C-alpha cells in the first residue's frame, strides 16, 4: 500500500465514527464561538469528550469493531505511527495526521467523511489544535485514577466556610466571580433539613423550639436529633430500595407477589444503626459467605434477589439463569461503580476499558446460586431463609423457655407415668376392645366398614362409579375390593391448594403386579396431568405426582424400593405446603422411605376441585386389589403420627404384647392414647400443657416470614463468555475476576463474592467511595458533583468540583465509611444552608446551579409528597390504632386500615413507606378520592 493510501486509511479511521458531539466544558456548550475557549486545554475536560463521542465506537476498547488497529482511547494508541505518519505529534498540529484530516478542504480527505451524520464544529477543531499545540498532554480518565486527598483551597472570606466542603465551593465561586448567597431563614432551614434527613416535614412544635433556641449549636442539635430519628433510615432507604430494584412482586407476565420486606427492614435498620458503608456493602453482596453468618447477614443478601424473576410456562431455565446473573452484575456495577458494565455483555465496551471477558469474569461471581430459571409464581423461591421479626424472636424465646419448663415438669413424672401406664395396661385385660388413631384435623375418614362410604362426621359422601362395591375382609374390618373396573368418587371432601398442608393415608393390598392408582384429585376436564395422585407405578414403587402440570411443573417422586404384591401395606403421604420436593414425605408401613425425585418443585398454582377418587387416577389407571381405611388430614403428620396411623392393632391388642416386643408405632400409639384418655388428671394436664405449647410454637413457626437470599452451589457452576450475550452460544470458559482496567483484588481476598465485595470497598478501588458520596450529594443538591450519577465512564460528565469529590471520597474512607457522619458533614455546611433565592443574573450565569452560589430548588420525591400530606392531615400516627384510612388492596377491595399501616404491619417494625398503595394490573382501581 502506498503512503497516500495509508494516509487516507488512517484519517478515515480517526473520525469515521462521528456521532453527536458534546463537550463537558459549559463555556464550550454555550455558543460556537472560539473566543470562549479556555486558554489552557484540559484533556479530560475538553478533549476526551470529543474523542469519546466521535471516535471510540470505531477506535475504542471494542477490538471487534476497531478500524485499522488504531486506538484513540489509550495514550499508546493515540500517539502511534502508522504507515510512516504519526496520528498526533505533540506541539505540531500541522504534523499531526489527525489535525490535517479534520481540516482538509478536499472532500475525499476531510474527516468526518461526507456521509457522516455529524460534523466537527469550529470550536472542536480549534480545541484539538490548541491541545496539540500545547503539547497534547494525555491524562487517564479521571474516575479510573485513585483519588488523593487534596489540600483545602485558600480563600479570603475565611468567615464563610463552616465545613471543609465550603472551601472548595467558595474557591470555585471566586474563580467564577460569584458570591455565595445569604443563609436561609431558620424556618426554611429546619423544614429543608427535616425533609432531607427524614422525608417528613417538621412538626409545629419542632419549628417553634428551633426558632426559640438562640444557642450557637441550635442547628447542630436539630441535625443530631434527625440523624437519631428512626425516620432517617426510612429516608435513606428510599434511594437504596430504588437502586436495588426492590419490589414485593416478581415482574414479568403474572407479576405474582413475593415477600422481600424483611430485607427492606434490614436496610432501614442498617441505616438507623449507622452500619459502616463497607460493612453495609459486604453484607448485602456476600453476607452468607462471612464466617458463621448471623440471620441478619443472611437477610442482607436479599439485595441481589430483588431482580425480576420469571414464572411463565415454557421458558428455558438456562436462559433466565443467565438473565438473573446479568442483572446482578449490571445492578452491582451501577450501584457501587457507576459503570455501564452491562454494555460489555455482547461485545467489548465501546467507550470504557471493559472487555466482554471482564463482564463474564465478574458474572462468574454471581452465577453460582442454587436456583432455577423459573420461579414460584406466588411466593418466595429458594434459596430462602425463615426471617422472624424481633417480636417473633422474642415470642419464640419465651415459648422455648415455657416449653423447656413444661418438658422438665413432664420428665420429672417419668416414674409416675411408667407406673400408671403399667397399671392401666394390666387393667385392660377385662375391658372391651378400643379402636383409636390420630384424629386431629382428620377431614375425611373412610373405613369401609358399612354399606356406605362415610366421612368422619358420618355424612354419606361416597359414590361408586363403573361397578358396584364389593366388600372383603380388610386390614381393619372391611375393605373394598377393586378389580380394575371401579372407583369411588367422594365429592366435596378434599379440596385444597398447592400451598396447604395435607396428609393422605390408606391400607392397600395389591393383587398381582399391575400398576394402579390408590388416590387421586385431578382436574379431569382440563387436563389429565394436573392435581394430585398416589399410585403404584409399573415398577411396583409407591409414586406421587403433585402439582399444576406433571410434565414439567410438579413434585414427582417415588420410593426407591418396590412394594410387595399380595400382602397388606400401609402407605402415607404428607406435604408441608412448600411447593418443593423436600416438603413431600412418603411412608410405607409407618417408616419414612428413601425416594428418587423426578421433579423437585412446582412454580404455578392449582386448587383441587374434582372429587377425591379412590381406586383410580381420574377415570383411568384403576387399582387391582383391596383398599382399606382411607384418611385425609388437613395438616402434616409427624413421623411419629405416621407410625401410629400405620399401626392396625387396637389399644387392647397392643397392651397384650410385652413391652419389649412392641414396634415403635405400637408403643407410640399406646402411649398417646394413655396420655390423652386414661392417665391420671395431673399427668394428662402436664402432657396437654406440653402438647399445647408445641402447637403454639408450630403456629408461630408457620407465621414467620421468609425472604430470598444468596447462597453458593455445592458444585461450582461453570461460566463462559457468551457470543453476542446469548445463553446458548458459549465461548471461552472464564474464571472469576475483576476488570483488568481497575484495581486488583486485595491481597488474601477469597475467590468468591466475599472477595469481590471486599474489592469494592478496598481503599485502592478508585470508584466506590466517589460513587457513594456523589449519590449523597445528589440527595441534597438535586444533582451530583458528577451529574451522570450512574455513569462515571467516558460517556459520563466530568465532576463540577473534582477536588471536592476526591476530598469527600477520601474523607468517607478516613471516617471508617461512616454514613451518618457524611450526611452531617454535608448538611452542616454553609453551602447547604444558603438561601435558594435566585437572581436573574445568577440564573443566566449558572442556570443549573452547578456552581452552588445558592441552595437548590427541588421538587419533593413522590413518597415525600404523599407522606407530607399524611403527616399534615394527621393520618400518619406513631402508634397502632390511629385514624382509619382507605387503602386499595391487591384483591381489588377497599379496606379500612389503621393509618400507620401505611407503614405496613409486617411484624413489630412499622415503617410508613412499607405499604405502597398498588393494585393488580388487571383490575382498575376505584377513585382514590373515595
Amino acid at each position: 500500500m502506498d503512503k497516500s493510501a495509508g494516509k487516507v486509511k488512517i484519517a478515515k479511521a480517526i473520525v469515521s465514527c462521528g456521532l453527536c458531539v458534546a463537550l463537558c466544558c459549559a463555556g464550550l456548550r454555550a455558543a460556537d464561538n472560539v473566543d470562549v475557549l479556555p486558554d489552557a486545554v484540559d484533556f479530560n475536560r475538553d478533549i476526551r469528550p470529543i474523542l469519546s463521542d466521535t471516535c471510540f465506537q470505531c477506535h475504542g476498547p471494542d477490538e471487534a469493531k476497531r478500524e485499522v488497529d488504531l486506538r484513540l482511547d489509550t495514550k499508546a494508541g493515540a500517539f502511534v505511527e502508522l504507515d510512516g505518519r504519526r496520528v498526533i505529534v505533540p506541539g505540531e498540529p500541522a504534523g499531526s495526521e489527525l489535525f490535517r484530516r479534520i481540516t482538509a478542504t478536499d472532500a475525499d480527505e476531510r474527516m468526518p467523511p461526507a456521509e457522516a451524520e455529524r460534523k466537527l464544529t469550529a470550536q472542536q477543531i480549534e480545541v484539538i489544535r490548541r491541545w496539540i499545540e500545547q503539547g497534547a498532554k494525555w491524562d487517564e480518565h479521571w474516575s479510573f485514577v485513585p483519588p488523593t486527598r487534596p489540600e483545602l483551597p485558600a480563600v479570603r472570606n475565611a468567615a464563610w466556610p463552616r465545613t471543609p466542603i465550603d472551601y472548595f465551593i467558595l474557591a470555585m465561586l471566586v474563580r467564577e466571580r460569584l458570591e455565595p448567597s445569604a443563609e436561609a431563614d431558620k424556618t426554611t432551614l429546619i423544614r429543608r433539613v427535616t425533609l432531607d434527613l427524614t422525608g417528613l416535614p417538621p412538626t409545629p412544635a419542632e419549628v417553634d423550639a428551633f426558632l426559640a433556641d438562640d444557642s450557637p449549636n441550635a442547628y447542630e442539635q436539630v441535625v443530631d436529633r434527625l440523624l437519631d430519628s428512626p425516620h432517617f433510615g426510612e429516608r435513606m432507604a428510599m434511594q437504596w430500595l430504588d437502586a436495588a430494584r426492590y419490589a414485593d412482586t416478581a415482574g414479568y407476565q403474572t407479576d405474582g407477589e413475593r415477600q422481600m420486606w424483611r430485607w427492606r427492614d434490614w436496610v432501614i435498620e442498617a441505616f438507623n444503626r449507622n452500619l459502616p458503608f463497607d460493612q453495609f456493602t459486604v453484607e448485602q453482596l456476600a453476607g452468607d459467605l462471612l464466617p458463621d453468618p448471623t440471620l441478619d447477614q443472611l437477610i442482607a443478601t436479599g439485595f441481589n434477589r430483588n431482580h425480576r424473576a420469571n414464572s411463565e410456562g415454557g421458558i428455558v431455565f438456562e436462559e433466565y439463569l443467565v438473565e438473573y446473573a446479568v442483572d446482578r452484575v449490571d445492578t452491582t456495577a451501577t450501584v457501587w461503580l457507576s459503570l455501564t458494565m452491562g454494555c460489555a455483555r455482547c461485545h467489548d465496551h465501546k467507550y470504557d476499558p471493559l472487555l466482554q471477558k471482564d463482564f463474564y469474569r465478574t458474572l462468574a461471581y454471581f452465577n453460582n446460586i442454587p436456583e432455577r430459571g423459573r420461579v414460584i409464581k406466588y411466593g418466595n423461591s429458594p434459596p430462602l431463609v425463615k426471617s422472624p421479626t424481633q417480636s417473633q424472636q422474642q415470642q419464640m424465646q419465651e415459648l422455648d423457655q415455657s416449653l423447656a419448663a413444661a418438658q422438665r415438669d413432664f420428665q420429672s413424672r417419668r416414674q409416675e407415668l411408667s407406673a400408671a401406664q403399667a397399671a392401666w395396661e394390666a387393667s385392660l385385660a377385662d375391658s372391651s376392645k378400643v379402636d383409636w388413631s390420630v384424629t386431629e384435623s382428620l377431614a375425611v375418614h373412610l373405613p369401609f366398614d358399612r354399606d356406605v362410604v362415610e366421612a368422619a362426621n358420618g355424612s354419606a359422601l361416597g359414590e361408586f362409579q363403573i361397578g358396584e362395591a364389593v366388600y372383603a375382609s380388610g386390614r381393619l374390618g372391611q375393605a373394598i375390593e377393586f378389580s380394575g373396573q371401579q372407583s369411588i368418587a367422594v365429592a366435596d371432601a378434599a379440596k385444597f391448594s398447592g400451598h396447604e398442608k395435607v396428609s393422605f393415608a390408606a391400607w392397600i393390598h395389591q393383587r398381582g403386579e399391575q400398576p394402579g392408582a390408590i388416590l387421586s384429585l385431578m382436574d379431569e376436564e382440563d387436563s389429565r396431568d394436573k392435581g394430585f395422585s398416589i399410585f403404584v407405578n409399573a415398577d411396583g414403587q409407591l409414586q406421587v405426582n403433585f402439582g399444576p402440570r406433571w410434565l414439567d411443573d410438579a413434585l414427582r417422586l417415588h420410593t426407591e424400593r418396590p412394594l410387595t404384591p399380595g400382602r397388606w401395606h400401609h402407605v402415607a403421604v404428607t406435604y408441608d405446603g412448600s411447593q418443593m420436593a423436600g416438603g413431600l414425605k412418603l411412608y410405607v408401613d409407618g417408616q419414612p422411605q428413601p425416594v428418587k425425585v423426578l421433579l423437585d418443585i412446582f412454580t404455578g398454582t392449582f386448587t383441587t376441585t374434582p372429587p377425591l377418587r379412590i381406586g383410580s387416577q381420574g377415570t383411568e389407571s384403576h387399582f387391582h386389589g383391596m383398599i382399606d381405611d382411607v384418611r385425609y388430614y388437613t395438616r402434616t403428620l409427624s413421623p411419629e403420627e405416621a407410625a401410629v396411623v400405620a399401626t392396625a392393632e387396637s389399644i387392647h391388642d397392643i397392651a397384650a404384647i410385652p413391652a419389649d416386643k412392641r414396634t415403635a408405632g405400637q408403643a407410640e400409639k399406646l402411649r398417646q392414647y394413655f396420655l390423652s384418655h386414661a392417665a391420671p388428671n395431673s399427668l394428662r394436664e402436664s402432657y396437654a400443657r406440653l402438647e399445647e405449647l408445641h402447637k403454639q410454637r408450630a403456629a408461630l413457626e408457620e407465621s414467620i416470614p421468609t425472604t430470598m437470599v444468596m447462597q453458593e452451589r455445592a458444585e461450582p457452576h461453570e461460566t463462559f463468555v457468551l457470543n453476542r450475550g446469548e445463553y446458548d452460544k458459549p465461548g471461552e470458559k472464564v474464571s472469576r475476576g475483576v476488570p483488568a482496567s481497575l484495581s486488583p483484588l486485595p491481597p488474601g481476598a477469597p475467590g468468591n463474592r466475599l472477595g469481590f465485595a471486599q474489592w469494592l470497598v478496598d481503599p485502592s478501588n478508585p470508584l466506590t467511595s466517589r460513587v457513594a458520596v456523589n449519590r449523597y450529594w445528589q440527595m441534597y443538591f438535586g444533582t451530583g458533583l458528577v451529574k451522570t450519577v450512574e455513569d462515571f465512564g467516558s460517556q459520563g460528565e466530568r465532576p463540577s468540583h473534582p477536588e471536592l469529590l476526591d476530598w469527600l471520597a477520601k474523607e468517607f474512607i478516613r471516617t471508617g465509611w461512616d454514613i451518618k457522619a457524611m450526611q452531617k458533614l454535608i448538611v452542616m455546611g454553609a453551602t447547604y444552608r444558603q438561601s435558594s433565592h435566585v437572581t436573574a443574573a445568577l440564573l443566566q450565569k449558572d442556570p443549573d446551579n452547578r456552581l452552588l452560589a445558592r441552595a437548590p430548588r427541588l421538587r419533593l420525591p413522590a413518597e415525600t409528597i404523599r407522606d407530607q400530606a399524611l403527616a399534615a392531615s394527621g393520618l400518619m400516627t406513631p402508634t397502632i390504632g390511629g385514624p382509619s384510612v382507605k387503602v386499595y388492596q391487591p384483591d381489588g377491595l377497599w379496606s379500612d386500615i389503621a393509618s400507620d399501616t401505611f407503614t405496613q404491619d409486617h411484624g413489630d417494625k412499622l415503617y410508613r413507606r412499607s405499604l405502597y398503595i398498588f393494585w393488580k394490573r388487571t383490575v382498575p382501581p376505584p377513585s382514590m378520592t373515595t
Side-chain angles (χ1 to χ4, degrees), residues 710-731:
M710 296 288 277
Q711 191 181 92
E712 290 291 274
R713 289 174 179 261
E715 294 293 329
H717 192 271
E718 294 181 328
T719 302
F720 301 86
V721 174
L722 300 180
N723 184 28
R724 300 298 302 168
E726 297 181 29
Y727 78 96
D728 57 351
K729 295 182 179 178

Side-chain angles (χ1 to χ4, degrees), residues 149-257:
R149 186 183 181 93
E151 296 293 330
L152 298 184
V155 295
R156 292 183 179 179
N157 184 10
W160 186 74
R162 293 178 179 269
T163 70
I165 290 172
D166 301 326
Y167 287 88
F168 294 97
I169 299 298
L170 184 58
M172 178 72 78
L173 291 177
V174 170
R175 285 197 296 272
E176 296 294 325
R177 300 178 182 178
L178 291 172
E179 292 289 335
S181 297
E183 186 170 302
D185 62 83
K186 294 184 74 174
T187 302
T188 299
L189 198 55
I190 190 172
R191 175 173 170 78
R192 177 190 300 167
V193 74
T194 305
L195 283 168
D196 278 347
L197 290 181
T198 69
L200 292 170
T203 66
E206 290 168 346
V207 175
D208 291 343
F210 181 53
L211 294 178
D213 189 348
D214 294 326
S215 63
N217 64 341
Y219 177 71
E220 184 174 12
Q221 290 178 355
V222 169
V223 171
D224 289 339
R225 172 177 59 79
L226 296 173
L227 290 172
D228 287 339
S229 166
H231 298 308
F232 170 76
E234 297 169 355
R235 167 68 182 97
M236 297 295 289
M238 280 172 54
Q239 185 188 55
W240 194 258
L241 297 184
D242 286 345
R245 67 270 196 249
Y246 168 74
D248 274 331
T249 60
Y252 287 106
Q253 187 179 36
T254 54
D255 201 21
E257 290 87 357

Side-chain angles (χ1 to χ4, degrees), residues 301-457:
T301 65
F303 176 90
N304 261 323
R305 296 298 305 284
N306 277 315
H307 56 77
R308 292 191 307 155
N310 201 332
S311 63
E312 298 171 21
I315 65 172
V316 179
F317 287 8
E318 189 63 31
E319 178 181 7
Y320 280 89
L321 288 175
V322 169
E323 293 303 319
Y324 304 156
V326 166
D327 181 279
R328 290 171 186 137
V329 173
D330 198 13
T331 301
T332 301
T334 300
V335 170
W336 275 277
L337 301 173
S338 283
L339 291 180
T340 55
M341 190 175 285
C343 295
R345 173 183 179 174
C346 303
H347 49 71
D348 292 343
H349 203 289
K350 298 292 185 183
Y351 304 102
D352 297 328
L354 298 170
L355 304 179
Q356 187 183 21
K357 185 174 180 179
D358 290 331
F359 178 86
Y360 286 99
R361 293 190 70 200
T362 305
L363 184 137
Y365 288 111
F366 299 95
N367 194 32
N368 199 40
I369 315 303
E371 60 181 342
R372 295 161 55 94
R374 188 180 181 200
V375 299
I376 291 174
K377 186 173 292 186
Y378 297 103
N380 288 346
S381 298
L384 49 81
V385 294
K386 286 273 193 177
S387 48
T389 64
Q390 291 181 5
S391 175
Q392 288 172 327
Q393 291 179 46
Q394 178 65 30
Q395 293 176 55
M396 188 67 74
Q397 183 179 359
E398 293 171 358
L399 270 176
D400 284 343
Q401 291 172 351
S402 298
L403 262 172
Q407 188 70 43
R408 287 194 299 270
D409 174 69
F410 188 71
Q411 290 296 326
S412 69
R413 298 167 178 263
R414 180 177 298 176
Q415 290 185 347
E416 178 187 354
L417 172 61
S418 297
Q421 183 170 336
W424 169 73
E425 289 176 15
S427 72
L428 290 176
D430 299 327
S431 66
S432 60
K433 184 175 180 179
V434 177
D435 289 326
W436 176 87
S437 190
V438 177
T439 58
E440 183 184 349
S441 301
L442 180 61
V444 176
H445 180 207
L446 307 175
F448 303 131
D449 288 338
R450 285 170 286 254
D451 290 338
V452 293
V453 183
E454 297 179 347
N457 61 7

Side-chain angles (χ1 to χ4, degrees), residues 454-489:
E454 297 179 347
N457 61 7
S459 62
L461 297 174
E463 174 185 329
F464 275 88
Q465 297 183 355
I466 318 176
E468 296 182 358
V470 177
Y471 291 88
S473 177
R475 188 66 179 86
L476 299 172
Q478 290 187 142
I480 294 287
E481 181 82 43
F482 291 89
S483 61
Q485 295 295 318
Q486 69 270 82
S487 65
I488 301 173

Side-chain angles (χ1 to χ4, degrees), residues 511-546:
R511 184 169 292 111
E513 297 182 353
Q514 289 181 284
I518 303 165
L519 302 171
S520 68
L521 277 162
M522 298 178 59
D523 196 340
E524 298 162 15
E525 295 182 359
D526 294 339
S527 173
R528 294 179 55 235
D529 62 354
K530 173 183 178 182
F532 173 68
S533 175
I534 307 174
F535 61 101
V536 180
N537 65 22
D539 294 321
Q541 300 148 330
L542 182 67
Q543 181 164 332
V544 176
N545 292 346
F546 186 93

Side-chain angles (χ1 to χ4, degrees), residues 609-623:
T609 57
L612 172 65
R613 290 191 178 274
I614 302 162
S616 71
Q617 183 170 282
T619 58
E620 300 180 355
S621 188
H622 290 80
F623 187 76

